[in-house]
Amino acid sequence: MFLENYDPTIEEHYERNINVDDEPSLLEILDSAGAEQFTSLNEVYIKSGSGFILVFSLTQEASLREVDNLRRQIYRIRGGDNSVPIVVVGTKLDLSNEREVQMHTIQTLASRWSLPFYETSAKRNWHIEEVFVDLVQQMRRHYPTESSTKKEKRPGGCVIM
């Protein structure tokens, strides 16, 4: 659900049911609202999260640099495990006239980082489902022994940073 007037806090918690490959999953989502200044909280989120959606604004090039910093922090905290489930998302696709991050930049980073990138619009509900499907599929491959149908407390959640 898109909120026109979003007032970010340190964190918000959501739950979302999703069917992926005809199998239900319950995602526990912790939205850290890009609280980079709370680095000690980020470490707790990174240690406890099972998958990560790193979000930047297509209308703010600086936000892409913050995503790179978070990506590096995840790998550092998770012991260099480059197979941790991560999806990178550029938001505000509907604001094409304000776009600062160009497609070729995203393609270059996707190749360099070996991570899936999506361009989305929460306001228009463009490509949102694909992001969560990709992340759940990665989590199922990375954690094959965990039941994807049982409700899990952290770890088991998806962290949106």
Side-chain angles (χ1 to χ4, degrees):
M1 175 174 79
F2 179 78
L3 300 174
E4 191 71 43
N5 295 315
Y6 174 67
D7 183 21
T9 61
I10 295 174
E11 71 176 41
E12 291 288 333
H13 183 263
Y14 306 93
E15 289 188 353
R16 179 170 185 207
N17 288 301
I18 183 173
N19 279 316
V20 176
D21 301 326
D22 295 322
E23 191 175 328
S25 292
L26 175 63
L27 295 179
E28 291 186 4
I29 302 168
L30 181 66
D31 181 352
S32 68
E36 296 85 16
Q37 67 272 28
F38 302 106
T39 54
S40 62
L41 287 178
N42 278 352
E43 288 205 23
V44 171
Y45 300 151
I46 291 168
K47 286 178 183 176
S48 63
S50 296
F52 302 88
I53 300 174
L54 304 180
V55 180
F56 69 97
S57 171
L58 292 167
T59 64
Q60 295 178 329
E61 182 113 24
S63 66
L64 185 56
R65 288 188 290 278
E66 288 302 320
V67 160
D68 188 26
N69 292 336
L70 285 169
R71 180 187 65 84
R72 290 172 193 232
Q73 186 179 24
I74 289 167
Y75 290 148
R76 180 182 53 77
I77 291 170
R78 298 294 286 258
D81 182 5
N82 290 352
S83 67
V84 65
I86 298 175
V87 175
V88 182
V89 176
T91 62
K92 301 185 181 179
L93 181 59
D94 56 304
L95 300 178
S96 58
N97 58 332
E98 298 176 35
R99 186 174 183 135
E100 290 183 8
V101 181
Q102 301 307 315
M103 178 60 83
H104 66 86
T105 302
I106 293 171
Q107 290 169 334
T108 300
L109 289 177
S111 176
R112 187 182 314 148
W113 295 351
S114 299
L115 292 174
F117 273 69
Y118 291 88
E119 293 187 356
T120 67
S121 168
K123 187 174 190 175
R124 305 271 187 232
N125 197 26
W126 293 342
H127 312 292
I128 304 299
E129 191 76 14
E130 293 98 312
V131 169
F132 288 98
V133 167
D134 189 325
L135 186 64
V136 168
Q137 288 172 334
Q138 286 187 53
M139 290 169 66
R140 287 180 182 168
R141 284 191 302 273
H142 196 275
Y143 309 107
T145 59
E146 295 179 10
S147 170
S148 60
T149 58
K150 76 175 187 178
K151 181 176 177 177
E152 299 176 34
K153 297 294 179 193
R154 286 182 206 111
C158 162
V159 179
I160 299 177
M161 303 182 106

